Amino acid sequence: MRYLFARRRLSIYLLLAACVGIAYIADRIVFAQETKATLAQAHQRAVFYSLSLESTLARYESLPKVISFEKKMGALLDNPGDAVAQQAANQYLRAVQVTTGSRVAYLIDADGLTLASSNWDKPDTFVGQNYTFRPYFRDALQFGQGRFYGLGTTSHEAGYFLATSIRTPAGTRGVIVVKISLSEFESALSQ
């Protein structure tokens, strides 16, 4: 009888050990599946955000080039001290900024001095600021286009800067810059 009782006890222990083992294996399988599903979902989200960012940037990609063809920009570059030409350029840049929803648009001469800006009438105006040190300005002068994401030195707001040089047979005359805010996009990413 003792032998039978010991055998029964051993069988119960083995059964319990098998149950614990099966539960552990099942837990590992479920954990692996959930991890795989979470990673797949994260990958889908990353692809979505990447495409959204590309779409947002593509909307503004040609804007500096289009602005560079505006005669008001050339007129101001020809006569940087002309108040009438400057006001016409400022107003044009403001209209572009408002229409497109960009953060700011501005014209910089080849020496880095901002001659006109869509925010000409604001306390943090870019007019009169020198941006020779900014990577987007240097790249636009050297390569025709510049791109940069960073903190604005005047506004202290993060943004994406798109720049295009204004070139003539005589050389580069200036650079058109459009800054777009990605704050809505960044907010969506943080959530």
Side-chain angles (χ1 to χ4, degrees):
M1 179 113 150
R2 236 176 156 181
Y3 175 73
L4 199 57
F5 183 70
R7 199 169 170 185
R8 201 180 246 174
R9 185 181 260 173
L10 180 63
S11 295
I12 290 172
Y13 288 144
L14 287 175
L15 183 61
L16 284 174
C19 288
V20 169
I22 290 170
Y24 177 78
I25 292 170
D27 178 65
R28 294 289 89 202
I29 290 171
V30 168
F31 179 77
Q33 288 174 340
E34 287 179 3
T35 301
K36 186 176 179 180
T38 301
L39 288 173
Q41 187 179 27
H43 175 73
Q44 287 175 338
R45 250 190 234 136
V47 168
F48 171 75
Y49 287 131
S50 174
L51 292 173
S52 295
L53 178 59
E54 287 177 18
S55 172
T56 299
L57 297 178
R59 281 191 319 204
Y60 295 97
E61 189 69 32
S62 61
L63 188 55
K65 189 67 165 173
V66 171
I67 296 170
S68 74
F69 293 121
E70 173 57 42
K71 291 180 181 177
K72 292 175 177 98
M73 301 302 111
L76 182 56
L77 287 169
D78 289 340
N79 300 299
D82 184 345
V84 173
Q86 184 181 39
Q87 190 58 24
N90 284 334
Q91 290 175 345
Y92 175 78
L93 291 169
R94 168 72 59 80
V96 167
Q97 178 262 319
V98 169
T99 303
T100 63
S102 59
R103 179 72 184 94
V104 67
Y106 48 108
L107 169 66
I108 305 173
D109 71 12
D111 295 323
L113 183 66
T114 305
L115 302 179
S117 177
S118 60
N119 68 355
W120 86 90
D121 58 345
K122 306 285 186 222
D124 61 348
T125 182
F126 291 9
V127 175
Q129 300 293 323
N130 191 296
Y131 292 112
T132 53
F133 63 95
R134 296 297 273 183
Y136 59 83
F137 175 77
R138 291 193 314 262
D139 288 349
L141 285 181
Q142 186 175 1
F143 305 114
Q145 292 186 335
R147 305 288 178 266
F148 179 72
Y149 177 80
L151 194 63
T153 57
T154 303
S155 67
H156 306 291
E157 294 175 0
Y160 189 73
F161 298 82
L162 299 144
T164 298
S165 64
I166 300 175
R167 296 179 186 249
T168 65
T172 302
R173 300 180 64 208
V175 172
I176 295 291
V177 181
V178 173
K179 177 182 179 183
I180 57 175
S181 172
L182 299 177
S183 59
E184 290 177 17
F185 184 78
E186 291 166 346
S187 158
L189 275 178
S190 69
Q191 294 175 9

